[in-house]
């Protein structure tokens, strides 16, 4: 089987994202932010497993996939980061 560089890069990118999130969580003084980031990591992990299941489901629509990506994809880390920044700075 030929070497699949894109898959390896994707896996390493995911590992880096996890490591960065864990590092950021350890540095936070806000318990609420630590809880939010931990929840985000769990959602992301569940979402990645669900996306893998969808690879074998020919009935999956674009809307279903995009809904999953929005709630459990990489965007969840950006949402959590913005929410924590707002919370730490007292912005609602």
């Amino acid at each position: 089987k030929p070497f699949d560089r894109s898959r390896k890069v994707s896996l390493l990118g995911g590992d880096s994202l996890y490591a960065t999130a864990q590092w950021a969580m350890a540095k936070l003084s806000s318990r609420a932010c630590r809880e939010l980031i931990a929840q985000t990591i769990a959602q992301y992990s569940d979402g990645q497993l669900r996306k893998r299941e969808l690879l074998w489901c020919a009935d999956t629509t674009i809307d279903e996939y995009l809904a999953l990506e929005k709630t459990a994809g990489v965007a969840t880390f950006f949402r959590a980061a913005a929410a924590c920044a707002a919370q730490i700075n007292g912005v609602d």
Side-chain angles (χ1 to χ4, degrees):
K1 185 175 180 180
F3 178 68
D4 186 356
R5 181 174 169 74
S6 64
R7 182 179 169 98
K8 189 171 186 176
V9 169
S10 177
L11 289 172
L12 291 174
D15 290 347
S16 176
L17 194 58
Y18 274 129
T20 302
Q22 291 288 350
W23 178 83
M25 185 171 60
K27 299 283 185 197
L28 291 173
S29 59
S30 168
R31 179 183 171 103
C33 285
R34 287 193 308 268
E35 290 173 357
L36 176 61
I37 292 175
Q39 179 184 24
T40 299
I41 291 168
Q43 286 176 334
Y44 179 78
S45 296
D46 291 345
Q48 295 307 301
L49 293 173
R50 179 71 180 125
K51 283 197 306 189
R52 189 150 180 90
E53 291 172 1
L54 291 179
L55 289 174
W56 304 104
C57 182
D59 298 340
T60 304
T61 67
I62 294 288
D63 289 336
E64 290 171 328
Y65 179 81
L66 292 176
L68 177 62
E69 190 64 37
K70 184 169 50 171
T71 59
V74 173
T76 59
F77 284 101
F78 292 105
R79 182 179 67 222
C84 285
Q87 187 171 27
I88 288 170
N89 289 296
V91 177
D92 289 330

